[in-house]
Amino acid sequence: MESPPAYCDVSLPVPMDHVFTYLLPETLRHRVQTGSRVLAPFGHRTLAGIVLRTHSEKPDAPARELLRLLEEEPALDEDLLKLGRWIAEYYCAPLGEVLRAMTPLAGDVRRGKIISLTPSGRDAARQLHLTDGAEDDPARAILQMLDARAMSASYLKQKVPRAAAVLRSLEKKGFIEAEDVAAERDPLRASAARLRAEFVKRPGEEKLPKSQRELLSYLELHPGSHNVAELEKAVASASTAARALARKDLAKLTLEAVGATLTPFRPPHDLNAHQQEAFDHIRAALAKKEFQTFLLEGVTGSGKTEVYLNAIDAALELGRSSLMLVPEIGLTPAVAGQFHHRFGDRVAILHSAFHDSERAQEWRRIRAGEARVVVATRSGVFAPVRNLGLIIVDEEHDQSYKQQETPRYHGRDVAIVRARDAGAAVVLGSATPSLESRYNTERGKYQRLLLPERVESRPLPKVEVIDMRQEFLETRKQATFSRALVDAVAERLDNHEQAMLLLNRRGFSSFMTCRACGARLECPNCSVTLTFHRRDRRMLCHYCNYSCRVPERCPTCDSDHIQFLGIGSERVEDELHGAFPRARIARIDRDTVGGKRDYETILAKFRDGEYDLLVGTQMIAKGHDIPNVTLVGIVSADTGLGLPDFRAAERTFQLLTQAAGRAGRGTQPGIVLMQTINPDHYAIVCAAEQNYEKFYAREIEFRRLMHYPPFAALANVIIRGSKEEEALERSASLGRLLNPAPEGVKILGPAAASLSKLKNEYRYQMLIKTPSRKRLTEVLRDVRRFAAQEKWNPTSLVIDVDPMTLL
Ligand code: ADP
Ligand code: ZN
Ligand code: ZN
């Protein structure tokens, strides 16, 4: 018989391209496989990594022994490993860090101590069996427990009084040893509020403690699943008891989808002609089981979701699973609820707001093939979906699909590669597709599907552009709201309709400046001004969260002529209160919304009519469908236009069009008032007309002329360091390395980044552009090799391939 492999190569989450070889302990030789998640010693640390292969080739240097296998079932199958390799190559990221990002279970590992008996400890324990002693002696209890098996320190501390002190003394005597390992989390640790329990069976011989007995009878008498937190009202200690019963397989615990119970059921609509035509194309691709990418371009309110739901149905009918990606902020209870109603138990929801253990549990359901419809934010693109037939990327233009830390992958693009390998269909949906995707339809890479009208022939909202320069000339007042906007808000309040007001800038005032010397108050850690937050009475940095008291005098010249300029969302809310004292006003931005739950709560209350007006940043512009909103006011359409970024116009157009699309989605038509000082800018003109085609035609010419994506592959290389000279010098040496630029490659910089200092690090930047993707990868590989040769600290080089922002 062939002997089992003695070694395995492991990819660890470290910023190096190395693979590390470990010796497999006897007990693991038959169990560790390609894709297994394991614990390995690394220097003085213990790291969780992924096994790339097992083999029997004796390495040159003696290999250390692997510590543990984390789960019997491999975390990544061959297909996902292949996808990981593609990401590492395309985004120039270390494979180990890519694989870690692909396995959410990584968060499942918790550091802890495992206690086991030493040989003399074992002798001592055996002796105890022979002697009588006080039954409640904690040392005795611990030794006896450990004689059965090694246990975690935290478990012993739960079970035995004064365990901590006893463990210390036993360790001193040499009876026990403690090993630092990562322990797996109990999947039942999810908060009781999110758990549902139901009856499975009565116990056999086993005697249960009172609370468990009571709960079990309650569950038996009340069939169906119950919210565990709610059960507390009926049965004392229900939450602890429920977990104990689940461990004994007497009750079943399941995770509740966020908000599944909050949303009213919406019956499926009959598709209208446009929806039907789009759906027919998608269904045909599903039936052929061939890879194909569609761009579903549908105006706001055209019913894209209904097309998705039908496509998922069709995939299920063909026996295939679906994965739907939504933007970070798009996974609201309304969305989750809709999917639950339609697909029931077959749905798994993966949300970054979930606890690790909750996510791990959903992950296992997906891997086991129980969940066949997965709705997820970015990292869900790695969910181990079985028999994948369809991937939907909703709001495909959304920036949150791009990860802003290593590995800096784009969820949409990874989805397409994954679908290609799986022979699945892809549907990218948006009212304002990214230039890249729209251009791909012209090149024949994607097929374009159009939903040109709102459902039930509802009109798109009427948009009026208000020139705030003219307003100033007429009123001689620098006002936040134009007269037209004030009138329009008043009218909504009178009619009991609702309005949304968008200003994509947080805080009360964007900066503080001195009228005597002109100084602006800047962040000491970053090259940006501090924003005035009135409620907190602080000056705050939006990049590093530095904050300080609001100075009364200019820190530079000590003058007291200081003023606050630039309006933020907090001030908009404040002025609205002033203008409409009786209106009920809510605000959504990162200062009012701590977690996802706050966001959902405010939004739900607004939908239920508990507020009249909703103020907010771009957080309010996305995807919501609130029928009673008949006015959207854009306080300033100009906030993003001035940014030194080639995507500034695109981003502005998308934000304004999406925001405008919130108006008039119900039976009442809506209007949009757009205040601007750039009324002739094409991004604003086209957004006001809600004319994507016109914007696209204009913007694509600009990109072509300037050799920007989609006409070039682009990477942003940032060199950063805590010492300015060092960062400067390193960027210069990279500049020399790439000078002259390789053929067909354009290099801009090195130059100080537009955010030249961030969190106390100085930043220099190089932009690399080339029509050839292959060339770009080669150049970046050289850059990484150079940095490694020069022994730069890995964090000092940031490579962002296909960057969404150049700041
Ligand atoms: P989009 O995502 O394209 O902006 P939604 O999918 O949110 O639009 O749909 C807008 C509204 O239209 C929703 O309330 C939805 O239930 C409804 N709807 C979808 N399809 C139809 C249809 N065929 N007939 C009537 N209403 C529909
Ligand atoms: Zn001053
Ligand atoms: Zn700062």
Side-chain angles (χ1 to χ4, degrees):
M1 203 183 93
E2 212 179 316
S3 59
Y7 299 97
C8 64
D9 293 346
V10 180
S11 179
L12 294 173
V14 288
M16 293 181 241
D17 282 326
H18 267 294
V19 166
F20 303 89
T21 302
Y22 289 92
L23 180 65
L24 283 167
E26 285 291 341
T27 51
L28 293 185
R29 290 193 182 176
H30 285 288
R31 292 161 58 204
V32 168
Q33 312 164 42
T34 300
S36 290
R37 214 159 61 91
V38 294
L39 276 186
F42 186 77
H44 299 293
R45 295 184 292 163
T46 302
L47 295 177
I50 299 285
V51 173
L52 295 181
R53 68 180 188 120
T54 57
H55 57 88
S56 296
E57 301 151 24
K58 196 168 176 2
D60 300 335
R64 295 173 76 178
E65 196 166 274
L66 203 67
L67 296 176
R68 237 152 64 79
L69 173 65
L70 285 169
E71 300 103 11
E72 289 299 325
E73 188 155 358
L76 296 173
D77 62 16
E78 292 285 352
D79 293 343
L80 286 169
L81 276 176
K82 183 175 168 212
L83 187 64
R85 289 203 175 87
W86 179 84
I87 292 172
E89 158 107 9
Y90 185 94
Y91 292 102
C92 294
L95 181 62
E97 298 196 353
V98 172
L99 298 183
R100 178 178 53 183
M102 292 177 72
T103 45
L105 300 180
D108 214 19
V109 175
R110 181 181 44 158
R111 298 193 59 79
K113 276 194 162 83
I114 294 287
I115 314 285
S116 55
L117 292 178
T118 60
S120 57
R122 198 161 300 277
D123 288 343
R126 303 274 149 88
Q127 290 291 325
L128 287 175
H129 288 296
L130 306 176
T131 56
D132 301 326
E135 281 300 323
D136 56 357
D137 173 8
R140 183 190 174 99
I142 286 179
L143 286 174
Q144 286 185 339
M145 285 166 79
L146 289 175
D147 194 27
R149 60 180 179 91
M151 287 176 185
S152 74
S154 56
Y155 180 76
L156 290 169
K157 284 173 195 163
Q158 273 174 25
K159 292 289 163 192
V160 181
R162 291 188 290 118
V166 175
L167 286 174
R168 271 196 302 277
S169 102
L170 288 174
E171 196 170 3
K172 259 197 214 125
K173 288 186 188 148
F175 284 173
I176 59 168
E177 54 194 1
E179 185 195 356
D180 267 323
V181 291
E184 267 171 90
R185 267 195 197 162
D186 184 346
L188 301 178
R189 277 167 51 104
S191 86
R194 301 268 336 280
L195 286 174
R196 301 190 73 82
E198 68 190 286
F199 178 78
V200 173
K201 62 171 190 232
R202 330 183 115 271
E205 298 294 278
E206 196 175 1
K207 253 189 89 73
L208 297 177
K210 182 158 169 271
S211 64
Q212 293 174 32
R213 243 178 14 240
E214 281 178 7
L215 179 62
L216 199 62
S217 334
Y218 182 90
L219 291 175
E220 193 179 7
L221 281 174
H222 300 86
S225 81
H226 304 265
N227 180 286
V228 170
E230 291 283 312
L231 284 174
E232 293 276 350
K233 291 176 201 152
V235 183
S237 318
S239 130
T240 328
R243 288 178 162 89
L245 291 174
R247 271 192 291 273
K248 295 171 187 163
D249 291 325
L250 300 174
K252 185 173 137 199
L253 282 188
T254 43
L255 269 180
E256 182 167 283
V258 177
T261 48
L262 294 178
T263 1
F265 175 63
R266 273 206 309 209
H269 296 280
D270 288 333
L271 298 183
N272 63 33
H274 290 296
Q275 288 171 317
Q276 184 68 42
E277 192 185 334
F279 168 63
D280 286 343
H281 281 288
I282 299 166
R283 183 171 49 190
L286 286 170
K288 275 192 282 179
K289 306 201 169 183
E290 271 172 19
F291 164 61
Q292 186 168 1
T293 306
F294 297 97
L295 176 64
L296 179 63
E297 193 183 318
V299 298
T300 55
S302 58
K304 292 183 284 293
T305 312
E306 206 59 44
V307 176
Y308 303 151
L309 292 170
N310 278 271
I312 293 170
D313 251 338
L316 283 174
E317 242 162 62
L318 292 161
R320 308 187 77 190
S321 309
S322 303
L323 171 61
M324 170 149 145
L325 298 181
V326 294
E328 202 47 56
I329 211 163
L331 194 41
T332 57
V335 173
Q338 221 174 336
F339 275 80
H340 271 283
H341 285 306
R342 186 94 160 223
F343 302 109
D345 276 355
R346 290 173 294 181
V347 175
I349 308 272
L350 296 169
H351 197 299
S352 49
F354 286 6
H355 299 293
D356 289 342
S357 51
E358 296 170 321
R359 237 177 316 161
Q361 183 169 329
E362 292 288 75
W363 212 261
R364 292 191 184 102
R365 283 182 56 226
I366 297 166
R367 194 165 55 195
E370 284 170 36
R372 317 256 322 268
V373 178
V374 179
V375 185
T377 49
R378 182 182 60 232
S379 64
V381 72
F382 304 121
V385 183
R386 302 261 185 222
N387 200 1
L388 185 62
L390 172 67
I391 305 186
I392 293 162
V393 183
D394 189 28
E395 308 288 355
E396 64 89 30
H397 65 277
D398 196 278
Q399 269 195 85
S400 72
Y401 285 123
K402 185 76 157 66
Q403 173 141 308
Q404 297 296 346
E405 57 193 60
T406 310
R408 294 168 183 262
Y409 67 91
H410 197 300
R412 172 197 63 213
D413 297 340
V414 171
I416 292 171
V417 171
R418 184 169 180 192
R420 186 191 63 198
D421 290 348
V426 183
V427 178
L428 311 177
S430 177
T432 53
S434 63
L435 271 270
E436 284 86 345
S437 295
R438 178 65 178 77
Y439 184 64
N440 275 333
T441 67
E442 273 174 36
R443 293 204 304 157
K445 282 184 77 176
Y446 303 169
Q447 187 179 348
R448 188 162 171 233
L449 305 173
L450 276 178
L451 302 180
E453 291 165 12
R454 283 191 161 179
V455 296
E456 300 184 322
S457 314
R458 283 174 204 155
L460 280 169
K462 213 168 111 290
V463 182
E464 192 182 319
V465 174
I466 298 171
D467 183 346
M468 293 302 275
R469 297 167 310 181
Q470 189 62 32
E471 181 80 8
F472 176 73
L473 288 179
E474 286 170 22
T475 61
R476 292 279 148 203
K477 267 195 304 209
Q478 198 75 55
T480 303
F481 308 123
S482 58
R483 293 159 297 173
L485 185 54
V486 172
D487 291 347
V489 171
E491 200 182 311
R492 302 309 118 166
L493 293 173
D494 286 346
N495 295 345
H496 303 287
E497 292 168 7
Q498 291 171 296
M500 287 165 91
L501 287 116
L502 174 101
L503 179 62
N504 197 21
R505 202 157 48 198
R506 295 160 59 199
F508 196 84
S509 308
S510 330
F511 55 92
M512 195 196 99
T513 174
C514 167
R515 269 183 289 185
C517 76
R520 289 179 172 198
L521 189 60
E522 291 207 356
C523 173
N525 309 322
C526 312
S527 53
V528 296
T529 54
L530 296 175
T531 303
F532 173 45
H533 287 252
R534 200 174 71 167
R535 191 187 61 183
D536 306 332
R537 306 170 148 274
R538 307 290 285 175
M539 302 298 296
L540 179 72
C541 172
H542 287 178
Y543 289 89
C544 73
N545 280 332
Y546 167 87
S547 81
C548 63
R549 293 190 23 217
V550 184
E552 281 163 15
R553 313 185 76 88
C554 170
T556 309
C557 74
D558 206 40
S559 147
D560 60 0
H561 289 286
I562 51 182
Q563 61 181 357
F564 295 90
L565 293 176
I567 291 162
S569 53
E570 188 183 8
R571 171 120 178 236
V572 170
E573 183 192 358
D574 189 71
E575 292 200 9
L576 276 178
H577 276 300
F580 304 102
R582 310 231 324 261
R584 298 162 304 162
I585 305 173
R587 185 173 108 227
I588 290 190
D589 56 31
R590 269 199 284 148
D591 303 306
T592 59
V593 170
K596 296 240 158 34
R597 301 280 154 83
D598 297 341
Y599 168 75
E600 288 163 2
T601 314
I602 299 177
L603 212 56
K605 283 190 176 169
F606 183 60
R607 182 180 293 114
D608 292 345
E610 287 182 40
Y611 298 112
D612 306 305
L613 307 176
L614 179 64
V615 177
T617 55
Q618 41 93 21
M619 290 174 95
I620 64 170
K622 310 213 169 157
H624 326 299
D625 192 22
I626 299 173
N628 198 34
V629 172
T630 56
L631 168 69
V632 169
I634 294 173
V635 178
S636 165
D638 312 308
T639 48
L641 272 186
L643 295 176
D645 193 320
F646 74 96
R647 291 189 203 272
E650 181 182 13
R651 193 121 350 106
T652 299
F653 172 78
Q654 286 165 346
L655 176 67
L656 298 179
T657 310
Q658 296 283 347
R662 297 314 110 211
R665 295 171 70 95
T667 41
Q668 293 300 312
I671 64 160
V672 180
L673 298 182
M674 218 178 256
Q675 304 189 149
T676 174
I677 53 169
N678 295 292
D680 303 322
H681 193 288
Y682 66 100
I684 290 175
V685 172
C686 296
E689 293 175 14
Q690 299 181 71
N691 189 339
Y692 176 80
E693 275 314 293
K694 185 167 166 185
F695 175 77
Y696 173 75
R698 179 77 191 259
E699 180 72 8
I700 201 79
E701 278 320 306
F702 159 70
R703 302 285 179 93
R704 196 193 306 272
L705 209 65
M706 303 298 290
H707 304 287
Y708 273 121
F711 297 98
L714 180 71
N716 188 13
V717 175
I718 300 231
I719 300 96
R720 57 185 186 186
S722 49
K723 296 197 203 80
E724 186 164 18
E725 307 82 74
E726 191 181 59
L728 176 62
E729 202 178 288
R730 284 178 170 180
S731 72
S733 67
L734 257 194
R736 283 191 297 274
L737 176 78
L738 298 180
N739 188 17
E743 211 195 311
V745 178
K746 266 209 174 63
I747 297 196
L748 284 80
S754 35
L755 258 171
S756 60
K757 190 179 167 207
L758 182 65
K759 299 181 184 172
N760 272 324
E761 284 193 312
Y762 295 88
R763 304 164 84 241
Y764 290 84
Q765 178 177 47
M766 280 170 94
L767 271 188
I768 305 179
K769 288 200 270 193
T770 159
S772 154
R773 177 64 61 175
K774 193 161 147 271
R775 244 327 126 63
L776 182 70
T777 308
E778 285 163 8
V779 172
L780 293 175
R781 199 176 295 148
D782 290 347
V783 167
R784 286 182 77 202
R785 199 177 300 133
F786 178 77
Q789 258 167 28
E790 302 284 308
K791 303 214 159 29
W792 294 2
N793 160 354
T795 57
S796 66
L797 178 70
V798 175
I799 295 179
D800 192 358
V801 176
D802 301 343
M804 290 303 278
T805 157
L806 299 183
L807 294 184

